[in-house]
């Protein structure tokens, strides 16, 4: 269980975080169309290497926060606010993703591996995302900050990210012609997920206040 559960959590939350059309997955698809799938997967490997370290750093930072309760509660409250805002945004204001509007220049013939590393490195969103996710899981006794669960979670994130990238590399043309059910309803799905996270985070914050009182 210390291996499987964190692995599954890492996979699911990375899948949710990466599946909306973004800089990395759309670039991977464009590289696939211009240079072929082999070079696209080299790009993906470079991106995954950075994602591995970003996730590991995020969980270690979350571990530090979790061990300093005065910081922990403040960040949980901030996280609650963020997830509530995201839930409202996804359910009420977010527009469906338009894949054809992503204009990314992939003409450069430099190593796609290092290109993947660079583009992944400038995308800093995963760090606060996985800090909040791991803190939320830990607060609900679904995750512990020990070596095996940490690496299992990180590997799960890498596997989930790879699954989404594979999907974009292999099936981007079909996505462009006709959106899949997931992409058509991605904002609703994300809104429900962030709403669930906000709900459990709220319960945890209230428990902390009740216990503190």
């Amino acid at each position: 269980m210390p291996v499987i559960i964190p692995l599954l959590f890492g996979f699911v939350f990375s899948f949710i975080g990466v599946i909306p059309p973004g800089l990395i997955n759309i670039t991977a698809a464009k590289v696939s169309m211009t240079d072929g799938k082999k070079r696209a997967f080299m790009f993906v490997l470079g991106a995954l290497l950075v994602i591995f370290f970003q996730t590991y750093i995020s969980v270690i930072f979350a571990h530090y926060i979790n061990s300093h309760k005065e910081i922990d509660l403040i960040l949980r409250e901030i996280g609650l606010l963020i997830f509530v805002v995201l839930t409202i945004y996804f359910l009420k204001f977010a527009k469906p993703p338009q894949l054809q509007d992503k204009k990314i220049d992939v003409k450069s013939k430099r190593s796609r591996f290092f290109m993947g590393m660079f583009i992944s490195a400038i995308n800093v969103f995963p760090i606060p995302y996985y800090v909040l996710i791991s803190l939320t899981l830990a607060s609900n006794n679904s995750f512990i900050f020990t070596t095996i669960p940490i690496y299992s979670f990180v590997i799960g994130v890498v596997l989930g990210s790879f699954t989404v990238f594979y999907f974009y590399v292999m099936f981007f043309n079909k996505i462009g012609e006709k959106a899949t059910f997931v992409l058509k309803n991605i904002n609703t799905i994300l809104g429900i997920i962030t709403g669930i996270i906000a709900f459990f985070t709220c319960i945890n914050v209230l428990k902390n206040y009740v216990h503190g009182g």
Side-chain angles (χ1 to χ4, degrees):
M1 298 302 283
V3 175
I4 300 300
I5 298 302
L7 186 77
L8 290 176
F9 276 129
F11 184 94
V12 169
F13 283 109
S14 66
F15 193 93
I16 292 170
V18 177
I19 197 169
L23 184 61
I24 300 176
N25 44 28
I26 295 300
T27 304
K30 294 291 180 69
V31 171
S32 176
M33 290 189 297
T34 58
D35 294 351
K37 292 180 174 58
K38 182 177 179 180
R39 298 197 73 185
F41 281 118
M42 288 302 299
F43 171 89
V44 167
L45 287 176
L48 290 176
L49 179 63
V50 173
I51 289 172
F52 176 90
F53 287 107
Q54 284 179 328
T55 308
Y56 181 77
I57 291 170
S58 301
V59 178
I60 295 302
F61 185 51
H63 184 197
Y64 172 81
I65 294 171
N66 191 63
S67 63
H68 292 75
K69 296 302 180 183
E70 68 283 359
I71 303 175
D72 184 27
L73 182 57
I74 293 173
L75 287 182
R76 288 185 200 281
E77 293 172 347
I78 294 173
L80 172 61
L81 177 62
I82 291 172
F83 282 123
V84 168
V85 170
L86 286 175
T87 300
I88 296 171
Y89 171 75
F90 284 130
L91 294 179
K92 296 294 184 181
F93 301 106
K95 296 180 180 179
Q98 301 295 323
L99 299 182
Q100 64 271 23
D101 291 337
K102 299 285 185 177
K103 297 179 181 180
I104 301 171
D105 184 10
V106 294
K107 294 180 180 180
S108 172
K109 296 302 180 181
R110 291 176 296 177
S111 170
R112 295 309 185 195
F113 179 83
F114 292 107
M115 180 183 179
M117 288 183 63
F118 173 74
I119 291 181
S120 185
I122 63 176
N123 177 32
V124 296
F125 171 75
I127 295 178
Y129 177 71
Y130 291 119
V131 167
L132 290 173
I133 291 297
S134 54
L135 283 174
T136 302
L137 292 174
S139 68
N140 290 284
N141 299 316
S142 299
F143 181 74
I144 56 175
F145 293 102
T146 56
T147 301
I148 293 177
I150 287 174
Y151 278 105
S152 295
F153 181 82
V154 172
I155 292 171
V157 168
V158 172
L159 291 176
S161 300
F162 174 78
T163 301
V164 175
F165 296 152
Y166 180 87
F167 180 75
Y168 273 86
V169 168
M170 299 300 293
F171 305 111
F172 179 77
N173 287 330
K174 293 181 181 179
I175 295 173
E177 295 169 1
K178 185 176 182 180
T180 64
F181 173 83
V182 174
L183 287 179
K184 284 180 180 179
N185 298 278
I186 189 63
N187 292 326
T188 301
I189 294 171
L190 290 174
I192 292 172
I193 295 297
T194 54
I196 292 172
I197 296 173
F199 174 76
F200 283 108
T201 304
C202 181
I203 291 176
N204 184 259
V205 169
L206 291 175
K207 283 181 178 178
N208 275 279
Y209 276 115
V210 171
H211 181 73

